[in-house]
């Protein structure tokens, strides 16, 4: 029988905002939500997930090409996306560095207090804000055109359509 896991003793144990704990070994790379003992679903993201989990690959590519990183990651990726989420919601995101645990298949894992649908909407909102900020540093025509397009952009409708295209009902989906 396995030893009980005590929060704080193991870097793979995540203490969730709801007060429950989950261990990285209980999280599969294909999971998008974990059903918690608190009765809620919490979004799961691991570092091997692509940014295209949330936005089309064409947008992910533009982000990779235009955003310079100043950390150990060679290009803008899911760790940066989740860093933005963590910055906005520090008390609602648990993160674990499990890079020393070769049995899980990933190095970083994030579990949010909200479900994967809400996380998806949050990520899209934050990426739009990031792009808006970047556009504001460009010429005024670019900034104005971007702002005008964003007035018509419906985050919820985008997320609904994107999740449908990605077939989020199974663990196997492909970027669009």
């Amino acid at each position: 029988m396995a030893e009980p896991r005590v929060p704080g003793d193991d870097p793979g144990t995540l203490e969730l905002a709801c007060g429950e704990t989950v261990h990285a070994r209980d999280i599969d790379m294909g999971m998008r939500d974990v059903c918690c003992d608190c009765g809620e679903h919490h979004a799961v993201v691991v570092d091997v997930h692509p940014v295209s989990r949330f936005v089309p690959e064409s947008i992910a590519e533009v982000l990779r090409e235009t955003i310079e990183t100043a950390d150990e990651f060679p290009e803008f990726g899911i760790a940066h996306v989740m860093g933005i989420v963590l910055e906005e919601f520090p008390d609602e995101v648990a993160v674990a560095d499990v890079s020393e645990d070769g049995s899980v298949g990933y190095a970083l894992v994030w579990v949010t207090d909200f479900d994967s649908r809400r996380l998806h909407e949050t990520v899209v909102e934050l990426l739009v804000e990031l792009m808006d900020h970047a556009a504001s540093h460009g010429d005024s025509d670019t900034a104005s055109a971007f702002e005008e397009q964003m007035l018509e952009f419906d985050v919820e409708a985008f997320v609904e359509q994107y999740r449908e295209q990605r077939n989020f009902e199974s663990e196997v989906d492909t970027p669009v």
Side-chain angles (χ1 to χ4, degrees), residues 52-174:
S52 59
R53 171 179 169 178
F54 300 109
V55 294
E57 184 56 36
S58 60
I59 293 174
E61 181 64 29
V62 168
L63 292 168
R64 283 190 296 273
E65 290 175 2
T66 57
I67 297 175
E68 293 181 24
T69 60
D71 52 29
E72 68 270 18
F73 300 100
E75 61 185 21
F76 184 83
I78 202 71
H80 300 100
V81 169
M82 291 309 295
I84 295 167
V85 173
L86 185 59
E87 189 174 303
E88 283 294 315
F89 302 98
D91 297 329
E92 297 179 60
V93 181
V95 60
D97 179 345
V98 290
S99 56
E100 300 295 319
D101 185 345
S103 68
V104 294
Y106 49 84
L108 294 168
V109 59
W110 298 266
V111 179
T112 67
D113 194 41
F114 30 89
D115 67 16
S116 63
R117 167 95 188 191
R118 179 65 189 124
L119 174 62
H120 197 156
E121 292 171 355
T122 298
V123 166
V124 170
E125 290 167 357
L126 293 171
L127 289 177
V128 166
E129 285 179 25
L130 179 68
M131 291 184 289
D132 183 44
H133 179 75
S136 73
H137 288 287
D139 63 60
S140 62
D141 290 340
T142 301
S144 295
F146 186 82
E147 286 179 23
E148 195 172 304
Q149 289 175 354
M150 288 304 101
L151 291 175
E152 298 174 18
F153 184 68
D154 182 337
V155 171
E156 289 181 24
F158 168 83
V159 168
E160 179 67 31
Q161 182 181 10
Y162 194 70
R163 292 173 74 82
E164 190 174 294
Q165 287 177 339
R166 290 287 307 264
N167 186 20
F168 276 6
E169 295 301 316
S170 77
E171 285 187 8
V172 180
D173 66 287
T174 56

Side-chain angles (χ1 to χ4, degrees), residues 7-29:
D9 285 357
D10 182 343
T13 300
L14 293 104
E15 297 181 39
L16 307 179
C18 66
E20 299 292 335
T21 61
V22 65
H23 196 277
R25 288 189 203 113
D26 299 327
I27 296 173
D28 178 283
M29 284 191 292

